[in-house]
Amino acid sequence: PDAGPGPAWQSKCPWGAPSTTSISCSLADVMSEQLAKELQLEEENAAFPEVVAAAEGPFITGENIDTSSDLMLAQMLQMEFDREYDAQLRREEKKINGDSKVSISFENYRKVHPYDSDSSEDEVDWQDTRHDPYRADKPTTTPRRGFIGKGKDITTKHDEVVCGRKNTARMENFAPEFQVGDGIGMDLKLSNQVFNALKQHAYSEERRSARLHEKKEHSTAEKAVDPKTRLLLYKMVNSGMLETITGCISTGKESVVFHAYGGNSATEDKIIPPECAIKVFKTTLNEFKNRDKYIKDDYRFKDRFSRLNPRKIIRMWAEKEMHNLTRMQNAGIPCPQVVILKKHVLVMSFIGQDQVPAPKLKDVTLSSEDMKKAYYQILNMMQQLYRECNLVHADLSEYNMLWHDGKVWLIDVSQSVEPTHPHGLKFLFRDCRNVSQFFQKGGVAEALNERELFNAVSGLNITADNEVDFQAEIEALEKVNEDHVQNHGKKLSTFSSDGDPPIYD
Ligand code: ADP
Ligand code: MN
């Protein structure tokens, strides 16, 4: 049979004619609805089963976005991708399970990434590292003579198993940041070759990370926040908790504060305030070193302090601010309301309006009437703080009080301590001095002097009429409390001024 009027080579080809590529079909086939449907289905299946609408990420827009870090951009993109992937997975899971009573979970197929470390890193945050459950026992060493055992049970130091185990145990000596996995806890045997390669790699990683770290430290000083923090902030926007982060309100020694518009997060069942302040505690550690004394001696944090690294201590500052704000909120003291805490980033309600923060008391000019009102309000707040919240602000001054809505708002309470803190009363006295001086200079005739204010706030009755004696009495009281701790292991929860038995915590 002739192949028809094909090209000349076709008939000459020694391997015969190629099969024609066009599908031969009859008129009946062409008209078949069945076939048409099948073809269409095939086409549809080839494409993505359900088109996922790319959610518009309302992230820090325009000029705010930092494009200098490729890694961060890549991570952000990955995060966006993963979110869509997970959403799709959820849809498919739902489709498969339908109304069935027994359901199949796709949980294990969800994306988990290492830098999105809410899960991975934080879990071990407060773990007692002195008792590491993963720590292997010391490897048994081979004796000097180079072998143990007798006869055919003899093992030499060249024994593969012994050697492999020893190598595994030696991995412990690598730099702590170097990830060696769970191998140490298992009966893993590393050959010399593998071990040596790993060792080499560990050393070069160490050098590389040292260089990198140095660079990062510098860039943190220049820009407001480091890439990790930016990623955290990005996540808050990405999750819908925040609408936009508009800009920086303040860059202090220890923190950077941003303004943001609140979003309407579906996951958090909290109502997000329309405007938020984001306080980012600085991860450059230098400034915090001098503040150790606040937290180290705070018995609430005492147990944890000794075994934490500096990065975690900074998170504790943020945590402390959150707890203290919550106490104040409960007592009805005007202060920012806590929205959420993520690592070293604290989100709270914004005191101010339309991106303009309320002025600090030091920057605002009040009428003498308002000044007097402010004074009595502060006196009241200091008493509430002491009695109801069991706190001393410890950095109270016209710098940390905002004037908003015709009243004073207290902020910046990360360093606040309980009155029984070893220096609690000293801190209180300092607060009193700042407040007294500010209002006396501000022309409030009724303002108590610092000693009177101290007694009025604490309910103590220190009678010394000069500063030196007064401070000596404060120190004596602090010492009594300290001795009590030494002897009884517990702190008095309040100083008793009227002969009541002490109340124990
Ligand atoms: P720092 O430890 O750097 O002093 P603060 O908590 O005092 O940190 O915040 C620094 C500045 O940021 C404040 O003086 C205030 O102007 C502004 N600020 C902080 N929190 C808020 C807030 N919730 N609302 C409005 N402004 C705030
Ligand atoms: Mn401050």
Side-chain angles (χ1 to χ4, degrees):
D2 200 353
W9 60 266
Q10 221 169 35
S11 49
K12 275 187 219 147
C13 179
W15 290 285
S19 63
T20 46
T21 44
S22 65
I23 310 158
S24 69
C25 57
S26 66
L27 182 66
D29 278 346
V30 172
M31 298 304 284
S32 159
E33 257 185 71
Q34 178 79 26
L35 184 71
K37 254 190 194 153
E38 270 170 25
L39 284 173
Q40 192 185 338
L41 250 168
E42 220 171 77
E43 228 166 83
E44 273 173 1
N45 284 347
F48 210 48
E50 257 176 81
V51 181
V52 189
E56 287 280 11
F59 180 53
I60 316 169
T61 44
E63 66 278 12
N64 287 346
I65 193 154
D66 192 302
T67 50
S68 64
S69 167
D70 288 346
L71 175 66
M72 192 186 57
L73 284 178
Q75 287 174 339
M76 284 176 171
L77 283 172
Q78 183 70 47
M79 213 144 70
E80 202 121 9
F81 173 84
D82 291 351
R83 202 162 52 95
E84 277 167 25
Y85 177 91
D86 284 349
Q88 176 64 19
L89 205 64
R90 262 195 300 279
R91 273 194 287 273
E92 279 179 27
E93 189 178 334
K94 215 164 137 197
K95 206 160 115 197
I96 279 200
N97 289 325
D99 297 327
S100 163
K101 279 193 186 125
V102 182
S103 62
I104 298 167
S105 168
F106 285 14
E107 193 58 44
N108 288 345
Y109 296 98
R110 295 254 146 80
K111 296 276 181 186
V112 187
H113 22 95
Y115 50 83
D116 180 13
S117 53
D118 266 5
S119 41
S120 52
E121 199 186 336
D122 282 10
E123 262 170 28
V124 291
D125 250 0
W126 314 119
Q127 197 178 46
D128 188 343
T129 48
R130 284 172 306 185
H131 302 109
D132 191 345
Y134 297 110
R135 212 183 188 84
D137 293 324
K138 272 219 161 94
T140 45
T141 49
T142 352
R144 272 266 180 91
R145 54 192 171 142
F147 63 91
I148 34 174
K150 265 187 202 159
K152 65 174 170 44
D153 292 328
I154 205 160
T155 13
T156 71
K157 66 177 174 189
H158 301 297
D159 183 277
E160 222 177 300
V161 176
V162 174
C163 211
R165 284 200 185 118
K166 254 161 78 179
N167 283 341
T168 306
R170 278 197 205 128
M171 291 198 305
E172 258 195 304
N173 300 334
F174 294 160
E177 328 59 85
F178 189 74
Q179 301 288 331
V180 291
D182 290 346
I184 287 170
M186 298 176 205
D187 190 22
L188 193 72
K189 294 139 208 132
L190 282 186
S191 76
N192 284 348
Q193 198 192 358
V194 172
F195 175 76
N196 285 334
L198 207 55
K199 190 169 82 176
Q200 209 50 50
H201 181 62
Y203 290 163
S204 59
E205 273 296 290
E206 206 175 338
R207 280 196 298 274
R208 195 180 65 88
S209 96
R211 274 202 307 275
L212 217 67
H213 189 69
E214 203 177 328
K215 236 163 109 187
K216 244 197 252 153
E217 287 260 339
H218 288 146
S219 68
T220 317
E222 275 164 29
K223 293 178 203 137
V225 292
D226 55 279
K228 267 206 170 134
T229 308
R230 254 173 288 163
L231 205 59
L232 252 175
L233 297 180
Y234 175 74
K235 264 175 75 181
M236 290 180 180
V237 176
N238 206 22
S239 72
M241 199 193 84
L242 297 178
E243 179 74 29
T244 36
I245 298 171
T246 61
C248 178
I249 308 169
S250 144
T251 40
K253 280 185 295 182
E254 291 130 4
S255 72
V256 186
V257 181
F258 296 95
H259 171 275
Y261 284 108
N264 38 6
S265 166
T267 45
E268 317 281 338
D269 46 26
K270 248 187 189 169
I271 296 162
I272 314 285
E275 290 186 73
C276 295
I278 308 170
K279 186 166 179 177
V280 177
F281 289 77
K282 279 203 179 167
T283 43
T284 37
L285 312 166
N286 310 334
E287 291 302 331
F288 278 95
K289 281 187 190 134
N290 346 330
R291 303 221 305 184
D292 276 3
K293 66 168 184 289
Y294 287 95
I295 213 165
K296 202 160 58 192
D297 295 332
D298 188 330
Y299 75 96
R300 291 179 292 170
F301 295 86
K302 209 166 194 159
D303 290 342
R304 281 152 58 177
F305 188 85
S306 58
R307 55 176 187 255
L308 290 177
N309 68 32
R311 195 166 43 82
K312 284 170 188 164
I313 290 168
I314 285 171
R315 289 192 198 169
M316 269 166 68
W317 285 105
E319 196 188 319
K320 226 175 144 209
E321 175 130 33
M322 176 187 71
H323 287 313
N324 292 342
L325 282 175
T326 307
R327 281 194 197 184
M328 289 159 70
Q329 194 77 41
N330 291 341
I333 295 173
C335 67
Q337 190 189 341
V338 174
V339 177
I340 201 170
L341 170 77
K342 288 260 181 207
K343 300 187 179 177
H344 58 291
V345 175
L346 179 66
V347 182
M348 54 191 150
S349 64
F350 180 71
I351 313 299
Q353 214 187 347
D354 299 331
Q355 297 187 43
V356 182
K360 298 180 185 88
L361 224 48
K362 84 162 177 65
D363 291 327
V364 77
T365 325
L366 296 181
S367 67
S368 60
E369 203 177 313
D370 276 343
M371 198 70 173
K372 199 166 124 185
K373 196 172 125 193
Y375 174 72
Y376 280 112
Q377 196 205 330
I378 291 165
L379 173 60
N380 220 327
M381 285 196 292
M382 289 177 82
Q383 286 175 333
Q384 272 182 296
L385 197 62
Y386 190 93
R387 290 169 198 181
E388 289 167 42
C389 308
N390 198 30
L391 284 176
V392 169
H393 187 290
D395 193 15
L396 193 64
S397 74
E398 58 274 27
Y399 287 81
N400 284 328
M401 295 190 269
L402 306 181
W403 181 255
H404 178 64
D405 247 1
K407 60 182 173 191
V408 179
W409 297 65
L410 294 188
I411 58 161
D412 202 0
V413 290
S414 63
Q415 74 294 313
S416 301
V417 295
E418 298 200 345
T420 50
H421 179 285
H423 304 298
L425 295 182
K426 229 176 287 168
F427 295 151
L428 177 63
F429 187 65
R430 200 176 57 192
D431 286 354
C432 290
R433 186 159 51 204
N434 291 338
V435 170
S436 284
Q437 282 177 2
F438 177 76
F439 284 97
Q440 279 172 348
K441 275 189 200 141
V444 179
E446 295 88 344
L448 302 171
N449 73 34
E450 60 218 46
R451 295 185 297 279
E452 291 163 338
L453 184 58
F454 180 94
N455 282 338
V457 170
S458 65
L460 292 166
N461 199 7
I462 300 180
T463 48
D465 60 352
N466 64 78
E467 175 155 348
V468 176
D469 292 346
F470 201 90
Q471 283 195 328
E473 278 199 50
I474 286 176
E475 263 170 47
L477 272 174
E478 283 178 345
K479 187 156 186 327
V480 169
N481 189 52
E482 233 0 65
D483 289 346
H484 184 87
V485 176
Q486 298 289 318
N487 298 333
H488 297 82
K490 271 193 175 173
K491 295 222 171 195
L492 306 172
S493 80
T494 54
F495 289 94
S496 193
S497 52
D498 42 19
D500 280 344
I503 304 156
Y504 294 99
D505 215 342

